[in-house]
Amino acid sequence: MVPARTSSLSCSWRGSRPPGRPMMATVIGLPGGLEPRHEQLKELVRAGTIDFYEVIGREVVIYLREMDVAQKVRFKIDVIGNIAGDYTGPASRIYLYYPDEEKHWNEPLKVSISPRA
């Protein structure tokens, strides 16, 4: 990745529980040196792709109020690499917001941001 240039993270998941389940939370752990484009996240909310989001440290938390069994959610999050280096983010996960005992974890994302030429 080149500093100050935008790259995209592809995000996707599908429902596996009966309809009427409580709100879903997806936490996308970003490696250090990456920053999400907030305007693009706001566009996802306006388009109805996600219900709302928040950025907490290096994690982008995406919320869906409901998700049907066969529903598939796909979108991209644009990120900007700011600081050169090799980074690993916190593990990403998805879970029912209430209760939050059942979590599905994914491997941490890794990125290498090259120094400016």
Side-chain angles (χ1 to χ4, degrees), residues 11 37-53 60 62 74-78:
C11 303
R37 266 194 57 235
H38 287 270
E39 188 55 41
Q40 190 245 354
L41 290 166
K42 290 176 187 175
E43 290 170 13
L44 291 171
V45 173
R46 283 193 291 269
T49 306
I50 62 175
D51 288 313
F52 51 101
Y53 77 94
V60 178
I62 305 289
R74 292 175 189 238
F75 58 89
K76 292 185 178 188
I77 295 178
D78 292 338

Short mmCIF file of all heavy atoms in Angstrom, two decimals, residues 11 37-53 60 62 74-78:
data_model
loop_
_atom_site.label_atom_id
_atom_site.label_comp_id
_atom_site.label_asym_id
_atom_site.label_seq_id
_atom_site.Cartn_x
_atom_site.Cartn_y
_atom_site.Cartn_z
N CYS A 11 -16.00 -6.27 2.74
CA CYS A 11 -16.67 -6.85 3.91
C CYS A 11 -17.91 -7.59 3.44
O CYS A 11 -18.66 -7.09 2.61
CB CYS A 11 -17.10 -5.74 4.87
SG CYS A 11 -15.75 -4.69 5.41
N ARG A 37 -12.41 6.10 5.86
CA ARG A 37 -13.01 7.33 5.34
C ARG A 37 -14.40 7.48 5.94
O ARG A 37 -15.32 6.74 5.61
CB ARG A 37 -13.12 7.24 3.81
CG ARG A 37 -11.97 7.84 3.08
CD ARG A 37 -12.29 8.03 1.59
NE ARG A 37 -13.47 8.86 1.40
CZ ARG A 37 -14.53 8.49 0.69
NH1 ARG A 37 -14.60 7.33 0.11
NH2 ARG A 37 -15.55 9.31 0.55
N HIS A 38 -14.56 8.42 6.86
CA HIS A 38 -15.84 8.59 7.56
C HIS A 38 -16.97 8.97 6.61
O HIS A 38 -18.10 8.51 6.78
CB HIS A 38 -15.71 9.63 8.67
CG HIS A 38 -14.94 9.12 9.83
ND1 HIS A 38 -15.52 8.47 10.89
CD2 HIS A 38 -13.61 9.14 10.10
CE1 HIS A 38 -14.60 8.12 11.76
NE2 HIS A 38 -13.42 8.51 11.31
N GLU A 39 -16.69 9.78 5.62
CA GLU A 39 -17.74 10.18 4.67
C GLU A 39 -18.31 8.96 3.95
O GLU A 39 -19.51 8.87 3.73
CB GLU A 39 -17.21 11.22 3.68
CG GLU A 39 -18.29 11.81 2.80
CD GLU A 39 -19.46 12.43 3.58
OE1 GLU A 39 -19.23 13.09 4.60
OE2 GLU A 39 -20.62 12.23 3.14
N GLN A 40 -17.45 8.01 3.60
CA GLN A 40 -17.92 6.82 2.92
C GLN A 40 -18.76 5.94 3.85
O GLN A 40 -19.76 5.37 3.44
CB GLN A 40 -16.71 6.03 2.39
CG GLN A 40 -17.10 4.91 1.46
CD GLN A 40 -16.75 3.55 2.02
OE1 GLN A 40 -16.12 3.42 3.06
NE2 GLN A 40 -17.18 2.54 1.33
N LEU A 41 -18.41 5.87 5.13
CA LEU A 41 -19.23 5.14 6.10
C LEU A 41 -20.60 5.80 6.26
O LEU A 41 -21.62 5.12 6.33
CB LEU A 41 -18.50 5.06 7.45
CG LEU A 41 -17.27 4.16 7.49
CD1 LEU A 41 -16.45 4.43 8.73
CD2 LEU A 41 -17.66 2.69 7.40
N LYS A 42 -20.64 7.12 6.25
CA LYS A 42 -21.91 7.84 6.31
C LYS A 42 -22.77 7.55 5.09
O LYS A 42 -24.00 7.45 5.18
CB LYS A 42 -21.67 9.34 6.44
CG LYS A 42 -21.10 9.75 7.78
CD LYS A 42 -20.78 11.23 7.81
CE LYS A 42 -20.06 11.60 9.09
NZ LYS A 42 -19.63 13.01 9.11
N GLU A 43 -22.13 7.40 3.93
CA GLU A 43 -22.85 7.04 2.70
C GLU A 43 -23.50 5.67 2.83
O GLU A 43 -24.62 5.46 2.35
CB GLU A 43 -21.90 7.06 1.50
CG GLU A 43 -21.44 8.44 1.10
CD GLU A 43 -20.31 8.41 0.07
OE1 GLU A 43 -20.04 7.34 -0.52
OE2 GLU A 43 -19.66 9.46 -0.11
N LEU A 44 -22.83 4.72 3.47
CA LEU A 44 -23.39 3.38 3.69
C LEU A 44 -24.64 3.46 4.56
O LEU A 44 -25.62 2.73 4.33
CB LEU A 44 -22.36 2.45 4.32
CG LEU A 44 -21.19 2.04 3.43
CD1 LEU A 44 -20.13 1.29 4.25
CD2 LEU A 44 -21.66 1.16 2.27
N VAL A 45 -24.64 4.35 5.55
CA VAL A 45 -25.82 4.54 6.40
C VAL A 45 -26.95 5.16 5.59
O VAL A 45 -28.08 4.67 5.61
CB VAL A 45 -25.49 5.42 7.63
CG1 VAL A 45 -26.75 5.76 8.41
CG2 VAL A 45 -24.48 4.72 8.53
N ARG A 46 -26.65 6.21 4.82
CA ARG A 46 -27.68 6.88 4.00
C ARG A 46 -28.30 5.93 2.98
O ARG A 46 -29.49 5.99 2.71
CB ARG A 46 -27.09 8.10 3.29
CG ARG A 46 -26.92 9.30 4.19
CD ARG A 46 -26.63 10.56 3.39
NE ARG A 46 -25.31 10.53 2.76
CZ ARG A 46 -24.20 10.99 3.31
NH1 ARG A 46 -24.23 11.52 4.52
NH2 ARG A 46 -23.05 10.92 2.68
N ALA A 47 -27.49 5.02 2.44
CA ALA A 47 -27.97 4.06 1.44
C ALA A 47 -28.76 2.91 2.07
O ALA A 47 -29.37 2.12 1.36
CB ALA A 47 -26.79 3.51 0.64
N GLY A 48 -28.72 2.79 3.40
CA GLY A 48 -29.43 1.71 4.07
C GLY A 48 -28.67 0.39 4.08
O GLY A 48 -29.22 -0.63 4.47
N THR A 49 -27.41 0.40 3.67
CA THR A 49 -26.60 -0.81 3.67
C THR A 49 -26.31 -1.25 5.11
O THR A 49 -26.31 -2.44 5.42
CB THR A 49 -25.27 -0.58 2.92
OG1 THR A 49 -25.58 -0.08 1.61
CG2 THR A 49 -24.45 -1.84 2.81
N ILE A 50 -26.04 -0.28 5.98
CA ILE A 50 -25.85 -0.52 7.40
C ILE A 50 -26.76 0.44 8.15
O ILE A 50 -27.20 1.45 7.59
CB ILE A 50 -24.37 -0.34 7.83
CG1 ILE A 50 -23.89 1.09 7.60
CG2 ILE A 50 -23.47 -1.33 7.10
CD1 ILE A 50 -22.48 1.39 8.09
N ASP A 51 -27.05 0.13 9.41
CA ASP A 51 -27.94 1.01 10.18
C ASP A 51 -27.17 2.15 10.84
O ASP A 51 -27.63 3.28 10.85
CB ASP A 51 -28.73 0.21 11.20
CG ASP A 51 -29.78 -0.65 10.52
OD1 ASP A 51 -30.51 -0.12 9.65
OD2 ASP A 51 -29.86 -1.85 10.81
N PHE A 52 -26.05 1.87 11.43
CA PHE A 52 -25.17 2.91 11.94
C PHE A 52 -23.81 2.32 12.22
O PHE A 52 -23.61 1.11 12.10
CB PHE A 52 -25.75 3.65 13.15
CG PHE A 52 -26.25 2.78 14.27
CD1 PHE A 52 -25.49 2.57 15.40
CD2 PHE A 52 -27.50 2.19 14.21
CE1 PHE A 52 -25.95 1.79 16.45
CE2 PHE A 52 -27.97 1.40 15.25
CZ PHE A 52 -27.19 1.20 16.37
N TYR A 53 -22.86 3.18 12.55
CA TYR A 53 -21.48 2.74 12.77
C TYR A 53 -20.83 3.64 13.81
O TYR A 53 -21.34 4.73 14.13
CB TYR A 53 -20.67 2.80 11.48
CG TYR A 53 -20.24 4.20 11.11
CD1 TYR A 53 -18.99 4.69 11.51
CD2 TYR A 53 -21.08 5.06 10.42
CE1 TYR A 53 -18.61 5.98 11.21
CE2 TYR A 53 -20.71 6.35 10.13
CZ TYR A 53 -19.47 6.80 10.52
OH TYR A 53 -19.10 8.09 10.24
N VAL A 60 -13.69 -0.45 13.47
CA VAL A 60 -14.91 0.10 12.90
C VAL A 60 -16.03 -0.85 13.30
O VAL A 60 -15.98 -2.05 13.00
CB VAL A 60 -14.84 0.20 11.36
CG1 VAL A 60 -16.15 0.73 10.80
CG2 VAL A 60 -13.67 1.09 10.94
N ILE A 62 -19.85 -1.89 12.98
CA ILE A 62 -21.01 -1.77 12.09
C ILE A 62 -22.20 -2.42 12.77
O ILE A 62 -22.10 -3.54 13.29
CB ILE A 62 -20.74 -2.49 10.75
CG1 ILE A 62 -19.45 -1.99 10.09
CG2 ILE A 62 -21.94 -2.43 9.83
CD1 ILE A 62 -19.52 -0.61 9.53
N ARG A 74 -22.89 -7.00 1.82
CA ARG A 74 -21.59 -6.79 1.17
C ARG A 74 -21.37 -5.31 0.94
O ARG A 74 -22.26 -4.62 0.48
CB ARG A 74 -21.54 -7.49 -0.19
CG ARG A 74 -21.56 -8.98 -0.12
CD ARG A 74 -21.62 -9.57 -1.52
NE ARG A 74 -21.86 -10.97 -1.42
CZ ARG A 74 -21.07 -11.90 -1.92
NH1 ARG A 74 -20.01 -11.56 -2.59
NH2 ARG A 74 -21.35 -13.17 -1.77
N PHE A 75 -20.18 -4.86 1.28
CA PHE A 75 -19.82 -3.48 1.02
C PHE A 75 -18.31 -3.36 1.15
O PHE A 75 -17.63 -4.29 1.57
CB PHE A 75 -20.54 -2.51 1.97
CG PHE A 75 -20.29 -2.78 3.42
CD1 PHE A 75 -19.22 -2.20 4.09
CD2 PHE A 75 -21.15 -3.60 4.12
CE1 PHE A 75 -19.00 -2.45 5.42
CE2 PHE A 75 -20.94 -3.86 5.47
CZ PHE A 75 -19.86 -3.28 6.12
N LYS A 76 -17.80 -2.21 0.80
CA LYS A 76 -16.37 -1.93 0.93
C LYS A 76 -16.19 -0.75 1.87
O LYS A 76 -17.01 0.16 1.90
CB LYS A 76 -15.75 -1.62 -0.43
CG LYS A 76 -15.73 -2.82 -1.33
CD LYS A 76 -15.02 -2.54 -2.62
CE LYS A 76 -15.00 -3.82 -3.45
NZ LYS A 76 -14.19 -3.72 -4.61
N ILE A 77 -15.11 -0.82 2.62
CA ILE A 77 -14.72 0.31 3.47
C ILE A 77 -13.42 0.85 2.90
O ILE A 77 -12.44 0.12 2.78
CB ILE A 77 -14.51 -0.13 4.93
CG1 ILE A 77 -15.83 -0.61 5.55
CG2 ILE A 77 -13.93 1.02 5.75
CD1 ILE A 77 -15.70 -1.09 6.97
N ASP A 78 -13.44 2.12 2.54
CA ASP A 78 -12.23 2.76 2.03
C ASP A 78 -11.36 3.17 3.21
O ASP A 78 -11.85 3.73 4.20
CB ASP A 78 -12.57 3.98 1.19
CG ASP A 78 -13.26 3.61 -0.11
OD1 ASP A 78 -13.11 2.46 -0.55
OD2 ASP A 78 -13.95 4.47 -0.68
#
